[in-house]
């Protein structure tokens, strides 16, 4: 386990603050582990005075494992942990905190559901989870960034409305004597600010602090660490500002950028050799990321020569894209590349649907670290299925209940009390209301008009003629959801129906796909991952593969359409950079001319990679 000169300089650092810029594949885990060895063996630091912080339990375990390999059989009481586990130790010691006080995700959502959702009858019951998830993220950002709730401007709802929800959520937690994960950071920060005697005790305990993935730190984590490191400031931070991709969780790359301002005497080092990727990938990735303005300039060189070109392919649509990727995967497998060395990366989980369907159809093994996304479970798909069932003569009450007020026709549940519903029974119920007769007649006419249409044409009729698109706008406004997201999902559902001649064929496909995904999840539970890796770009962080496909590289996806501000575009570019640098030998980027029936252009990142304003098929 020999080190290069930059790694040696980092590992041999003794006292005072040090910032280590560690690019992809630069051996940062080895460097951190060797620095711990230096502290113990060369500088005679007591192991129990060393604190090593990572962001995940898995990363903490890997770091400890690497350190133990270097040190041999003898065990050393070095402290390894995540930010939350370290702050939990401190709160446990100070307040006798235990696991019973920690709010589980299930409990958190139950509280948010009670304090956030309207009390009156909700006409849109089945998609509240998106709204609650958004609220939880907003609350986390307020705490992680130490923002005054009075001045915070939320993204998902009105300012005053969010403030009421936030305060009600805090009151309910206090009543239950519970704290959430962000509260651990807030409480620890407050403890150190108010009790300098307690702070001093922990400063004396942890005299040497090492932090991995420093680019992912948020404000409150940093504030606590700064207090903990005083007065000696033996703070050794390792990270890559070009891989800061968790802004939605509160990570602030600016903290890393300003480290030298906070610690003017800090040593700054660069691990400048990429041992993972070939030279062509390293050069191409640097060409893209160099377009970001807020970053440390780095000259990274590849340890390995690249014997390939980064390939860019423009296909007609997602179906053609998937067939191309499958063809290339087949060639790789025939050439001796193992399945586990191949990865397909994409911006969001829904972008993998077309490819996942083809893989399942062809019985090609694959796995996803994230939950397998089934677009046909989305409420809009289920609405289309219920419309189709009614058009085919299935009068089951559940189908009527699902769509009768999508769009709103003011037909009440009490008018559908039987297991099966007929239009005649609805008319009998509303016989004294002539205006309701017209609505029921129109619904019956629309259901009849769907009969015999192809699934694609039927969905188009439901959206435009029946008025489902207008319903979707109302739905999004009521639930404070992104209407574009919902419309895009329905676009994908409609596009998926194009190849099917009848409604029954499409419904059968949707049901079969769902069953296969469930079966796959059950089989893969707890087992070693096998097959082609399918990951979102965020989920691929920290991983590496011989061959990487980046699919769906079009504007609106990369960068994601929600990214408007320059800092948001820069984070999207960092995400693309992370995806590119997962590849060791071969990188293939695909984009399409059309998506969901609309023309799209290739991602600006593809043009940046080509070094020109026109797309190219092969990039050196």
């Amino acid at each position: 386990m020999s080190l290069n000169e930059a790694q040696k300089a980092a590992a041999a650092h003794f006292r005072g603050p040090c910032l280590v810029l560690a690019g992809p594949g630069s051996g940062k885990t080895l460097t951190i582990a060797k620095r711990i060895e230096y502290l113990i063996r060369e500088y005679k630091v007591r192991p129990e005075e060393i604190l090593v912080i990572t962001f995940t339990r898995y990363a903490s375990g890997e770091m400890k494992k690497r350190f133990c390999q270097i040190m041999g059989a003898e065990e050393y009481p070095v402290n390894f942990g995540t930010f939350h586990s370290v702050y939990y130790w401190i709160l446990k010691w100070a307040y006798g905190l235990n696991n019973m006080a920690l709010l589980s995700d299930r409990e958190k959502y139950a509280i948010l559901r009670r304090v956030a959702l309207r009390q009156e009858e909700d006409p849109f019951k089945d998609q509240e989870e998106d709204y609650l998830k958004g609220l939880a993220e907003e609350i986390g950002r307020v705490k992680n960034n130490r923002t005054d709730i009075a001045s915070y401007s939320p993204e998902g709802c009105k300012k005053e409305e969010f403030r009421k929800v936030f305060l009600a959520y805090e009151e309910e937690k206090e009543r239950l004597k519970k704290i959430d994960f962000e509260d651990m950071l807030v409480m620890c920060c407050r403890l150190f600010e108010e009790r300098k005697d307690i702070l001093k005790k922990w400063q004396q305990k942890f005299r040497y602090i090492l932090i991995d993935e420093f680019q992912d730190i948020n404000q409150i984590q940093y504030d606590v660490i700064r207090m903990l490191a005083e007065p000696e400031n033996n703070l050794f931070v390792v990270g890559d500002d070009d891989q800061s991709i968790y802004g939605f969780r509160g990570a602030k790359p600016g903290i890393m950028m300003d480290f030298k301002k906070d610690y003017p005497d800090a040593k700054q080092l660069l691990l400048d050799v990429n041992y993972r990727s070939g030279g062509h990938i390293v050069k191409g990735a640097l060409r893209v990321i160099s377009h970001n303005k807020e970053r440390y300039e780095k000259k990274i060189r590849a340890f390995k020569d690249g014997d390939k070109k980064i390939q860019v392919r423009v296909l007609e649509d997602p179906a053609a894209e998937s067939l191309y990727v499958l063809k290339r995967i087949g060639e790789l497998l025939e050439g001796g590349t193992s399945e586990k060395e191949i990865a397909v990366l994409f911006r969001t989980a829904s972008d993998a649907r077309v490819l996942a369907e083809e893989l399942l159809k062809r019985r090609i093994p694959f796995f996803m670290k994230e939950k397998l996304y089934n677009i046909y479970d989305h409420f809009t798909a289920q609405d289309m299925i219920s419309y189709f069932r009614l058009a085919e003569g299935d009068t089951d009450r559940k189908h009527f209940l699902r769509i009768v007020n999508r769009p709103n026709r003011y037909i009440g549940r009490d008018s559908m009390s039987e297991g099966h519903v007929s239009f005649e029974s609805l008319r009998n119920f509303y016989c004294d209301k002539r205006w309701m007769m017209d609505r029921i007649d129109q619904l019956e006419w629309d259901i009849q008009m769907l009969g015999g249409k192809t699934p694609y044409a039927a969905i188009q009729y439901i959206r435009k003629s029946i008025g489902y698109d207008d319903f979707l706008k109302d739905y999004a406004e009521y639930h404070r959801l992104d209407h574009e997201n919902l419309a895009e999902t329905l676009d994908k559902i409609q596009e998926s129906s194009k190849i099917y001649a009848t409604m029954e064929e499409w419904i059968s496909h949707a049901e079969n796909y769902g069953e296969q995904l469930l079966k796959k999840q059950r089989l893969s539970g707890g087992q070693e991952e096998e097959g082609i890796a399918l990951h979102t770009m965020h989920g691929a962080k920290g991983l590496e593969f011989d061959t990487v496909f980046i699919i769906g590289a079009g504007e609106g996806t990369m960068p994601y359409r929600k990214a408007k501000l320059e800092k948001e575009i820069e984070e999207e570019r960092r995400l693309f950079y992370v995806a590119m640098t997962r590849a060791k030998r071969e990188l293939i980027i695909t984009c399409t001319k059309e998506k969901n029936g609309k023309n799209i252009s290739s991602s600006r990142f593809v043009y940046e990679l080509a070094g020109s304003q026109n797309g190219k098929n092969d990039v050196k």
Side-chain angles (χ1 to χ4, degrees), residues 330-510:
E331 292 169 354
L332 288 164
L333 296 176
E334 286 177 14
T337 304
S338 70
E339 291 172 344
K340 67 181 181 180
E341 282 296 337
I342 302 171
V344 182
L345 310 183
F346 32 85
R347 179 61 180 82
T348 67
S350 64
D351 295 325
R353 177 192 59 80
V354 179
L355 180 62
E357 288 184 13
E358 287 296 332
L359 289 168
L360 284 170
K361 191 188 299 181
R362 296 160 189 251
R363 300 183 183 278
I364 298 173
F366 70 93
F367 71 90
M368 284 180 70
K369 188 164 67 173
E370 297 95 340
K371 182 182 177 183
L372 290 163
Y373 177 78
N374 182 5
I375 198 169
Y376 303 114
D377 280 343
H378 195 267
F379 79 92
T380 53
Q382 292 299 311
D383 289 350
M384 297 304 112
I385 289 171
S386 284
Y387 266 114
F388 287 8
R389 289 296 192 198
L390 290 171
E392 291 181 327
D394 184 348
T395 59
D396 193 302
R397 179 173 180 262
K398 67 182 179 184
H399 299 310
F400 269 100
L401 286 175
R402 180 157 202 105
I403 60 86
V404 75
N405 287 311
R406 297 188 172 193
N408 198 355
R409 300 176 178 93
Y410 302 95
I411 299 174
R413 296 174 68 91
D414 53 350
S415 68
M416 298 171 280
S417 56
E418 302 297 324
H420 287 266
V421 179
S422 70
F423 291 105
E424 202 54 44
S425 67
L426 290 175
R427 290 190 187 93
N428 288 337
F429 187 88
Y430 289 106
C431 61
D432 58 338
K433 296 181 175 66
R434 172 156 290 283
W435 60 278
M436 285 300 294
M437 293 294 106
D438 293 339
R439 294 178 184 277
I440 295 165
D441 288 347
Q442 184 62 50
L443 175 58
E444 183 177 23
W445 169 259
D446 285 332
I447 296 299
Q448 288 173 353
M449 287 298 293
L450 291 176
K453 290 186 184 297
T454 65
Y456 186 88
I459 293 175
Q460 186 72 359
Y461 184 85
I462 293 167
R463 296 181 71 170
K464 304 303 180 185
S465 298
I466 293 180
Y468 191 88
D469 277 354
D470 291 332
F471 152 76
L472 216 52
K473 287 179 185 174
D474 294 340
Y475 179 94
E477 183 178 354
Y478 186 92
H479 274 294
R480 286 80 72 187
L481 297 174
D482 185 334
H483 172 250
E484 280 190 66
N485 263 354
L486 296 179
E488 183 182 11
T489 299
L490 186 49
D491 286 343
K492 289 177 180 177
I493 291 162
Q494 184 172 2
E495 195 68 14
S496 78
S497 71
K498 225 172 195 176
I499 61 172
Y500 298 96
T502 68
M503 295 179 188
E504 189 53 51
E505 282 179 20
W506 180 73
I507 293 172
S508 178
H509 162 73

Side-chain angles (χ1 to χ4, degrees), residues 4 24 83 121 206 305 352 395 436 604 618:
N4 64 36
F83 277 102
E121 180 68 18
F206 298 137
D305 290 331
T395 59
M436 285 300 294
R604 69 192 71 180
D618 293 296

Side-chain angles (χ1 to χ4, degrees), residues 13 109 124 158 195 287 297 483 603:
H13 177 74
Y109 280 92
F124 309 125
K158 294 176 183 175
R195 293 289 303 272
R287 199 179 297 148
E297 283 293 326
H483 172 250
S603 167

Side-chain angles (χ1 to χ4, degrees), residues 24-165:
S26 60
K28 67 181 177 64
T29 302
L30 172 63
T31 303
I32 294 171
K34 291 292 284 185
R35 197 226 170 193
I36 304 169
E37 179 194 25
Y38 261 84
L39 288 175
I40 295 169
R41 287 184 171 162
E42 300 297 325
Y43 303 131
K44 308 305 177 187
V45 173
R46 294 167 58 208
E48 56 268 28
E49 292 181 338
I50 301 170
L51 174 63
V52 185
I53 302 179
T54 62
F55 278 82
T56 66
R57 281 184 294 179
Y58 174 80
S60 182
E62 288 296 301
M63 188 71 72
K64 185 174 183 179
K65 186 170 146 187
R66 181 65 68 91
F67 168 69
C68 291
Q69 287 171 348
I70 289 171
M71 301 302 283
E74 188 178 351
E75 290 190 11
Y76 293 84
V78 174
N79 301 282
F80 293 88
T82 64
F83 277 102
H84 284 98
S85 68
V86 171
Y87 296 175
Y88 177 71
W89 295 341
I90 294 168
L91 294 175
K92 187 176 180 180
W93 177 87
Y95 300 121
L97 191 72
N98 60 50
N99 284 330
M100 294 299 292
L102 297 180
L103 201 66
S104 69
D105 281 343
R106 184 181 58 79
E107 292 171 320
K108 174 188 277 192
Y109 280 92
I111 292 174
L112 285 174
R113 190 172 283 108
R114 286 198 298 274
V115 302
L117 294 180
R118 289 171 165 82
Q119 296 302 307
E120 68 264 23
E121 180 68 18
D122 185 347
F124 309 125
K125 281 288 186 190
D126 52 357
Q127 276 289 298
E128 60 189 32
E129 291 305 317
D130 287 346
Y131 175 55
L132 296 178
K133 182 182 177 187
L135 276 179
E137 288 177 356
E138 299 267 19
I139 290 169
R141 276 195 286 272
V142 170
K143 296 179 182 181
N144 288 332
N145 293 324
R146 304 193 74 183
T147 307
D148 180 3
I149 184 62
S151 61
Y152 181 72
S153 297
E155 295 177 8
C157 59
K158 294 176 183 175
K159 188 172 180 178
E160 187 55 34
E161 185 179 348
F162 175 74
R163 184 175 174 275
K164 288 178 182 176
V165 169

